[in-house]
Amino acid sequence: MSDDELFFVEQDGRQITLAHLPPRDLEDWEPNHKAMVVAAVRHGLITVDDACRRYNLSTEGYLCWYRCYAPPSADG
């Protein structure tokens, strides 16, 4: 399976692929953009390292997003 075929399914049934992720050069980040990146990592579409490189984030920056946007059940 190629990267183009990878996806996860959102709660509303939509298939999310890499093409659905926020653009790499996004300047005006909204909560839904951050939540989408966290969901993509949680569901294995991209890794934490990929997300950090793609969006010029530190690991600490990603973890801040995770704490804000991952569902409570994701922690345990």
Side-chain angles (χ1 to χ4, degrees):
M1 182 177 283
S2 73
D3 285 349
D4 294 341
E5 298 170 335
L6 294 176
F7 68 91
F8 70 92
V9 179
E10 284 209 329
Q11 290 180 347
D12 64 6
R14 288 185 306 147
Q15 288 186 355
I16 304 300
T17 66
L18 289 174
H20 293 97
L21 295 182
R24 295 172 189 263
D25 59 351
L26 185 66
E27 292 183 17
D28 297 320
W29 283 89
E30 296 183 9
N32 62 313
H33 296 129
K34 295 174 184 180
M36 177 66 74
V37 173
V38 169
V41 171
R42 287 191 56 246
H43 292 286
L45 187 60
I46 59 175
T47 66
V48 172
D49 289 339
D50 292 337
C52 290
R53 276 192 300 275
R54 184 179 182 108
Y55 299 111
N56 197 26
L57 287 170
S58 66
T59 303
E60 294 78 18
Y62 171 79
L63 291 174
C64 180
W65 289 8
Y66 180 88
R67 286 189 293 274
C68 290
Y69 299 107
S73 62
D75 292 331

